[in-house]
Amino acid sequence: MNQLIVRKLGRQEYSPCWLAMQNFTNQRQDETPDELWLLEHPPIFTLGQNGKPEHILNAGEIPLLKIDRGGQVTYHGPGQLMAYTLINIKAKQLSIRRFVCVLEQTVIDLLAAYQIEGKAKSEAPGVYVGDQKIASIGLRIRRGCAFHGLALNVAMDLAPFSRINPCGYSGLEMTQISQLGGPSSVEDLGLQLAKGLAKNLGYAELLLLESKAIPAELL
């Protein structure tokens, strides 16, 4: 089925979303439509499965959770667009590297609509504006199916990034769309990102669901 289901989930705690992504991926069949979840999280640091604790400089009162995606430590908080890509990349005949490139290009295309010049770096996944990072990518692949996804800084408090070495890079500066002349609406940008991703991955249909609730059967 060449359909992408897009769920607008609003603001959700991290752990239930993580559990739901795992359950969705474990339960899905070959005919299960791919999904894209758009949401925000309350403040939290997440450390990838091979992440090094020394990259956490001072978490303070912000919770820290070790999870099963790739990559090092990053920060999530209100004003950051989370786009969780529950996509069967094997069925799409995409390698992991090619899928990452599609995610990066989708963000670059979105930024270009607001005259913001984004770029990818082959040695450090994500999207950058100049030397500053604006979007991070972290994935887990299970049975050829991806989950987790990307985080795009829109209109958030960037200060917590100074408490870590973002993505394992000391001194890496972060930026965001609202500081570069773009909009500050996470919801609007999420829909634009969904349309761009659907186009870049060749879906014939995009189905938008606005329940703002994680499906109960996944919890």
Side-chain angles (χ1 to χ4, degrees):
M1 185 179 296
N2 197 17
Q3 178 190 63
L4 180 64
I5 295 174
V6 180
R7 297 184 187 271
K8 294 169 61 178
L9 296 177
R11 188 171 299 179
Q12 299 284 343
E13 294 289 340
Y14 191 93
S15 290
C17 287
W18 179 26
L19 173 64
M21 284 190 290
Q22 292 175 314
N23 288 340
F24 177 90
T25 304
N26 290 338
Q27 296 170 15
R28 70 178 303 170
Q29 305 297 318
D30 289 344
E31 65 275 11
T32 302
D34 291 333
E35 297 199 8
L36 177 68
W37 296 358
L38 304 174
L39 60 142
E40 300 173 69
H41 288 306
I44 190 169
F45 293 116
T46 61
L47 183 65
Q49 57 184 344
N50 296 315
K52 298 179 179 179
E54 57 262 36
H55 291 307
I56 304 159
L57 307 178
N58 177 25
E61 75 285 357
I62 298 175
L64 170 66
L65 186 64
K66 187 170 177 62
I67 59 172
D68 60 348
R69 62 162 170 77
Q72 293 287 332
V73 64
T74 194
Y75 170 71
H76 304 304
Q80 181 187 66
L81 171 64
M82 301 302 302
Y84 287 137
T85 52
L86 307 175
I87 291 175
N88 187 336
I89 64 171
K90 183 179 180 180
K92 287 285 183 184
Q93 298 183 316
L94 294 171
S95 67
I96 298 173
R97 181 59 205 160
R98 179 59 190 152
F99 183 53
V100 169
C101 288
V102 170
L103 296 180
E104 291 170 335
Q105 190 58 52
T106 300
V107 173
I108 291 169
D109 294 344
L110 176 61
L111 296 176
Y114 299 101
Q115 292 74 54
I116 301 171
E117 185 177 353
K119 63 181 180 181
K121 296 182 178 182
S122 58
E123 72 280 8
V127 178
Y128 301 78
V129 178
D131 292 327
Q132 297 178 312
K133 194 167 192 178
I134 197 167
S136 301
I137 295 173
L139 298 170
R140 179 72 186 268
I141 310 298
R142 185 177 294 164
R143 297 184 298 116
C145 298
F147 59 106
H148 292 289
L150 68 87
L152 175 61
N153 302 339
V154 178
M156 62 186 303
D157 179 8
L158 296 175
F161 283 106
S162 66
R163 302 187 185 188
I164 59 174
N165 293 328
C167 305
Y169 292 94
S170 177
L172 177 62
E173 294 184 3
M174 309 297 285
T175 189
Q176 56 186 331
I177 291 177
S178 59
Q179 290 182 347
L180 299 171
S184 58
S185 171
V186 171
E187 186 169 351
D188 290 348
L189 287 167
L191 292 177
Q192 293 174 48
L193 183 81
K195 292 175 182 178
L197 186 63
K199 177 183 176 182
N200 290 343
L201 287 176
Y203 291 99
E205 181 183 3
L206 188 153
L207 177 62
L208 179 63
L209 302 179
E210 301 201 38
S211 65
K212 296 199 174 182
I214 299 171
E217 65 270 18
L218 297 178
L219 296 173

